[in-house]
Amino acid sequence: MQTLLAHKSNYSESGGRKIDYIVIHFTSNDGDTAKGNCNYFAGANRKASAHYFVDENEVWQSVPDKHVAWHCGARTYKHPSCRNANSIGIEMCSRKDANGQYYIAPETVARAIELTKQKMGEYGVTVDRVLRHYDVTGKLCPEPFVRNPELWDDFLGKL
């Protein structure tokens, strides 16, 4: 795993926080990389962030786990208790197919599963507390896993 920290204007520093959830996202880009996303968030005033970015080849950390990334904030929530302050955000880099539909490469999904399992073990997060961004706020993210819930079921089954 590589690290390139986000600019401090893109997340909240926190001392000790309890991590109760892991939230899975997608970047909604076509052909981006984990490193490229970290480079972007290293710039000031992006008004968003995530702890990790995952692509077919690498995992990059952008925000230290002990700090609060701004990955699932909203005006209204579907989930009663998952928030930025008690979760880790993992972004999967995405692609578009010939029809313009988003997909996430199988290698990216496999890396995201391994990272999620690692973080689950590290923080005692159970599989029922691994959520899609959609489950927290209703945003269509990760879009392929909302459009095709079987992909999400498969992801959870591998945890």
Side-chain angles (χ1 to χ4, degrees):
M1 179 182 323
Q2 307 269 359
T3 301
L4 175 60
L5 294 182
H7 189 273
K8 290 186 183 216
S9 65
N10 297 326
Y11 63 93
S12 302
E13 291 189 347
S14 175
R17 69 184 189 111
K18 185 163 178 358
I19 296 168
D20 294 320
Y21 298 94
I22 298 170
V23 181
I24 306 299
H25 305 263
F26 86 128
T27 58
S28 74
N29 290 316
D30 183 16
D32 59 341
T33 65
K35 183 180 181 183
N37 278 284
C38 283
N39 282 329
Y40 175 79
F41 287 102
N45 302 314
R46 303 296 189 204
K47 299 185 173 141
S49 56
H51 293 92
Y52 298 93
F53 292 93
V54 181
D55 65 26
E56 292 95 335
N57 302 304
E58 299 180 303
V59 175
W60 282 73
Q61 184 169 21
S62 182
V63 175
D65 291 0
K66 68 181 179 179
H67 297 317
V68 179
W70 302 338
H71 62 94
C72 68
R75 287 192 181 102
T76 60
Y77 290 90
K78 286 177 59 173
H79 196 276
S81 55
C82 179
R83 302 293 183 266
N84 287 329
N86 64 1
S87 64
I88 286 180
I90 298 175
E91 290 266 3
M92 296 181 292
C93 293
S94 53
R95 308 281 177 260
K96 283 187 176 179
D97 65 18
N99 297 318
Q101 286 204 308
Y102 286 112
Y103 72 95
I104 300 162
E107 300 87 353
T108 299
V109 173
R111 283 188 190 288
I113 288 168
E114 289 310 307
L115 175 61
T116 302
K117 285 167 44 173
Q118 176 189 343
K119 294 298 161 183
M120 289 171 71
E122 196 171 331
Y123 296 109
V125 174
T126 54
V127 71
D128 61 312
R129 289 177 175 251
V130 177
L131 306 170
R132 298 170 297 183
H133 189 181
Y134 174 78
D135 301 316
V136 179
T137 68
K139 183 176 181 178
L140 296 179
C141 176
E143 189 276 337
F145 288 18
V146 176
R147 176 173 26 96
N148 186 349
E150 294 81 23
L151 294 173
W152 181 240
D153 292 340
D154 187 57
F155 187 98
L156 293 176
K158 291 178 178 171
L159 297 177

